[in-house]
Amino acid sequence: MYPQQPIAPYVRRATLLLLLFGLLPELFAQSYKLMRFEEDYRNLADSARRGYERLKYMPLASDDKIWLSLGGEARAEYVDFNNEDWGRLQLGNNNFLLQRYNLHADLHFGERFRLFTQLRSALQHGRKNGSRQIDEDQLNVQNLFIDWTILERINRSLLIRIGRQELDYGSGRLISVGEGPNARRYFTGAKIAYNSGKVKLETFAMMADTIKAGVFDNKPSKQINLWGAYGKIIMPRQANIDLYYIGIFRDRSMFEEDVAKETRHSIGTRIWKYGGGFIYNLEGAYQFGSFGKGKISAWTASVDIGYLFEDSYLKPSINLRNDYISGDKKAGDGNLQTFNPIYPKGGYFGFSPQIGPVNLIDIHPYATLDLPANLKLQVDLVFNWRQSLQDGVYRPSGSFNLAGSMSRKRYIGTAYLANLTWAANKQLSLVSGIQYFKTGAFIEDIITTPKNGIFFNSRIALKF
């Protein structure tokens, strides 16, 4: 266990600050977005701005054509993991503190041009086996881009964005900003976005840096290694449809099959509907390309259906999810059928999963309740199997974890999860969750002394 004394002052000060902000009234109606650059405060130009609203809309010219918006985030998270990787690493109890701080400035030059910049600091203290890339990046430029709106009409817009920027598409199956982990992802490149209200289309070409833990020390890739297009068709009160193509290149990719260069193309679709009544999220994707001298042929399919009792007390929802994600068919033959989730959303299969969306079959019932006092409860039960007995188990990031071709056991284990979210107001939130993972026949076959995993975390966040 790490020493408590250095952490205590941070916790006390952060708690006091967040509680003070929690007492502030909700000064404007807009909710904060996952991607902060998607917020728009132009409506404050015609209002009598008071206090906090002046920070969100600051005119810098007499005609209000040049204006600035400021914002940020402070987040602290306590993590307690028992038997990480089911005891294979022999870490026992591993508890640590994560902190994340963001500050951003959004500068508008009329209706056509915009400069957005954001600094991000992600800190980790106390993890026995050191920081992962998702844990620590002490100081970095998270966003720094220029927007040029070529076309702006009532029902249509066309925008070019150049620079460092975050990306997040669909349900986060293949490209997610990674809000759950401490250090969010970013890319550097160009994007063209068309929006007609019911139809949205984005094409992009990006470079992904190598993340290091220090100050402004991330290593640029210097080559395009992520490109693609993502389209969305919105049909109110009907099914919404996403269509996408995503391409990646990596100098070194590791799977149980081998370590080699990878060029992979993904084509997929998603059909989804949220809101009261019957809700669903159906997605499928196929991948092809080259891995070393071999060929890639991989796939995934997901069904998530449920019902939201929107007009009932506590607004309960019940859902059932089923995922099939391909693994390698034959170990050592040079070809690869293992699905690559590319940049997946952490926690996609639960609050803090130990298994990633690779070589996996899962059945996942879950339910939610909107409790009084702005509390929301979700409980999950996840059954996990290997899709292919010739492939192993991968981490939530998609990276290789345990080899499996020597085992004929399929069942990985069962995860029991619960998390509770308290939204004090639009600025302050608290999330606590717990997971118990009961090892299955595969883990017990591969690991000499397998142990069930217990995970707990509590996260408090302030946005402004």
Side-chain angles (χ1 to χ4, degrees), residues 361-396:
I361 299 172
D362 75 79
I363 297 177
H364 180 177
Y366 61 100
T368 65
L369 287 175
D370 286 354
L371 303 174
N374 294 323
L375 290 168
K376 189 178 186 70
L377 173 68
Q378 178 168 329
V379 291
D380 304 65
L381 178 62
V382 191
F383 305 94
N384 303 278
W385 296 264
R386 289 190 296 156
Q387 191 276 329
S388 171
L389 298 182
Q390 292 290 300
D391 205 345
V393 170
Y394 294 73
R395 294 186 175 89

Side-chain angles (χ1 to χ4, degrees), residues 40-339:
D40 188 351
Y41 297 97
R42 281 177 289 189
N43 63 305
L44 294 176
D46 299 324
S47 65
R49 296 179 296 277
R50 301 186 306 274
Y52 182 67
E53 291 178 337
R54 296 176 181 175
L55 191 66
K56 307 311 292 182
Y57 186 91
M58 304 166 57
L60 301 181
S62 58
D63 57 3
D64 285 359
K65 288 187 176 180
I66 302 176
W67 58 277
L68 176 68
S69 181
L70 302 177
E73 176 194 31
R75 189 174 98 171
E77 179 176 4
Y78 172 75
V79 179
D80 193 319
F81 218 142
N82 288 271
N83 304 322
E84 187 175 357
D85 280 349
W86 309 290
R88 180 174 64 93
L89 301 178
Q90 298 298 316
L91 292 172
N93 178 257
N94 193 3
N95 55 345
F96 50 97
L97 179 68
L98 300 172
Q99 300 172 71
R100 185 170 82 189
Y101 305 97
N102 294 322
L103 287 174
H104 68 258
D106 190 2
L107 181 60
H108 291 253
F109 301 88
E111 299 293 327
R112 298 287 184 175
F113 294 96
R114 171 197 191 195
L115 173 65
F116 185 91
T117 182
Q118 183 182 49
L119 289 175
R120 190 275 318 275
S121 177
L123 307 173
Q124 183 275 137
H125 180 82
R127 191 170 186 268
K128 285 183 178 179
N129 43 339
S131 294
R132 302 161 293 183
Q133 286 189 345
I134 62 172
D135 293 329
E136 187 165 20
D137 188 4
Q138 294 175 13
L139 188 59
N140 180 59
V141 177
Q142 183 74 10
N143 285 281
L144 179 58
F145 61 77
I146 296 174
D147 279 353
W148 175 27
T149 302
I150 300 174
L151 173 68
E152 183 70 52
R153 296 182 180 175
I154 296 176
N155 297 321
R156 289 185 296 167
S157 67
L158 182 64
L159 176 146
I160 295 178
R161 177 170 296 160
I162 300 175
R164 181 169 293 183
Q165 55 197 276
E166 296 173 328
L167 299 176
D168 193 274
Y169 290 113
S171 54
R173 178 173 289 272
L174 291 176
I175 297 181
S176 168
V177 71
E179 169 62 8
N182 202 36
R184 286 171 48 140
R185 298 188 184 100
Y186 70 87
F187 303 90
T188 303
K191 177 171 74 174
I192 300 175
Y194 172 79
N195 185 355
S196 68
K198 293 184 179 181
V199 176
K200 298 180 180 181
L201 176 63
E202 296 188 2
T203 60
F204 52 88
M206 299 287 169
M207 298 177 288
D209 289 356
T210 299
I211 306 300
K212 296 187 176 182
V215 176
F216 299 128
D217 62 349
N218 294 345
K219 183 180 179 182
S221 66
K222 299 181 180 179
Q223 63 177 340
I224 300 297
N225 48 29
L226 173 69
W227 61 93
Y230 202 100
K232 180 184 296 183
I233 303 172
I234 304 296
M235 295 180 288
R237 301 181 183 179
Q238 302 180 44
N240 305 293
I241 302 173
D242 293 1
L243 299 168
Y244 56 85
Y245 159 75
I246 299 169
I248 62 163
F249 170 77
R250 290 176 177 170
D251 284 319
R252 186 180 185 274
S253 291
M254 177 182 291
F255 299 89
E256 181 166 352
E257 173 65 28
D258 201 358
V259 178
K261 288 186 178 181
E262 176 186 16
T263 301
R264 187 179 295 243
H265 310 276
S266 304
I267 53 174
T269 186
R270 174 177 171 245
I271 303 173
W272 51 280
K273 175 183 176 293
Y274 296 138
F278 183 56
I279 53 179
Y280 53 86
N281 184 12
L282 316 175
E283 187 166 359
Y286 176 71
Q287 296 181 331
F288 59 96
S290 62
F291 180 70
K293 296 181 179 180
K295 295 182 179 180
I296 294 173
S297 178
W299 55 272
T300 184
S302 175
V303 176
D304 190 346
I305 58 175
Y307 196 90
L308 172 61
F309 299 88
E310 195 170 39
D311 298 325
S312 300
Y313 179 62
L314 303 183
K315 297 182 179 180
S317 73
I318 52 174
N319 298 267
L320 178 64
R321 176 171 176 168
N322 184 205
D323 297 276
Y324 282 79
I325 307 168
S326 68
D328 198 31
K329 288 183 178 179
K330 186 177 180 180
D333 69 349
N335 295 317
L336 186 66
Q337 291 80 39
T338 307
F339 185 80

Side-chain angles (χ1 to χ4, degrees), residues 10-24 73-74 101 428 460 462 464:
Y10 291 103
V11 175
R12 286 196 298 267
R13 280 177 284 190
T15 302
L16 178 60
L17 178 64
L18 294 173
L19 288 174
L20 287 173
F21 271 88
L23 297 175
L24 293 176
E73 176 194 31
Y101 305 97
L428 179 66
I460 189 166
L462 166 71
F464 64 94

